[in-house]
Amino acid sequence: MAGILSPRSNIPQDLLNKFLDLVTKPADVQGEFFLKSFIFALGDGWKDIPRMVTEYNKYLQQTGEGKPDLNAAQASDFLQKHGKTRTAVQRREELKDIDLDKNDRICFIEYLLLAYKKMILEEYYKRTGENCPHDLSNDAIGVTGVGAQLLDELFTLPEGLDPALAKAIEDFTASKRARETRMRDLEDTAAKGGVKGLTAKNELEQMKAADTTEMNRIEITLNAAKKRASKNSGEQALAEKKKAEEAEKAKKLQEGRNKLKNIAAAFEQK
């Protein structure tokens, strides 16, 4: 990984700058970026990311701090409730290790990097061709010191990511955000009672009843775009990459031959 290393870590500064920008975004935008980066690796499990966004935001509301991220105690509790079983020491060390912006708090994208650490590292070492020196069994629990690899893979979007698929992910996120915002407003209005409260309650019930149909429609659209991208764009991108590599190899070979010819010609003229 090229780039100047950050004085705070072994992470290249350019990657860290991208990450520092991403953590300022809302949780659903962070989740959207994660989906774009790992949509193929996630497989059918992509649906878990939007669900986790909802649970994360709900947890933030319940904790009462009014901040977009979690303090150390909250992060430990959230991880315990939404992750694999860890010892207290493992949980503390991994949370500290994944706090890549070093602000002693954990935002949603940092939680995802921890929750999907094994998958991300597998994708990284598969892409780079390097031998993985870490024990990734048991979901890579206990593995630390891999921040550079996690960010490198996070910001390496998959080859063949069709713009139509990226737009489908964005549309899915936008629809989900608009729906949840409207439902929160209706819940607040319904809690106040009165005629407006009753009207809000009725609309809220209608939205809940229509939720499955609407979200299924959006999921079908996204899955269709995902299938087209993985079948067509991915294969095309790989073919184009191979063709470009072969062209570059042929170019270097020809340059080498020309260089030898020039040396030979110069030698004959002497």
Side-chain angles (χ1 to χ4, degrees), residues 144-186:
T144 57
V146 290
Q149 291 91 331
L150 295 177
L151 288 195
D152 194 351
E153 197 59 28
L154 174 65
F155 290 106
T156 301
L157 295 180
E159 293 178 9
L161 182 62
D162 193 322
L165 174 57
K167 186 177 184 304
I169 293 173
E170 292 167 2
D171 290 346
F172 178 87
T173 302
S175 297
K176 185 172 180 294
R177 180 191 305 128
R179 175 187 170 279
E180 292 184 349
T181 299
R182 179 58 180 165
M183 291 185 74
R184 282 196 299 270
D185 291 342
L186 289 173

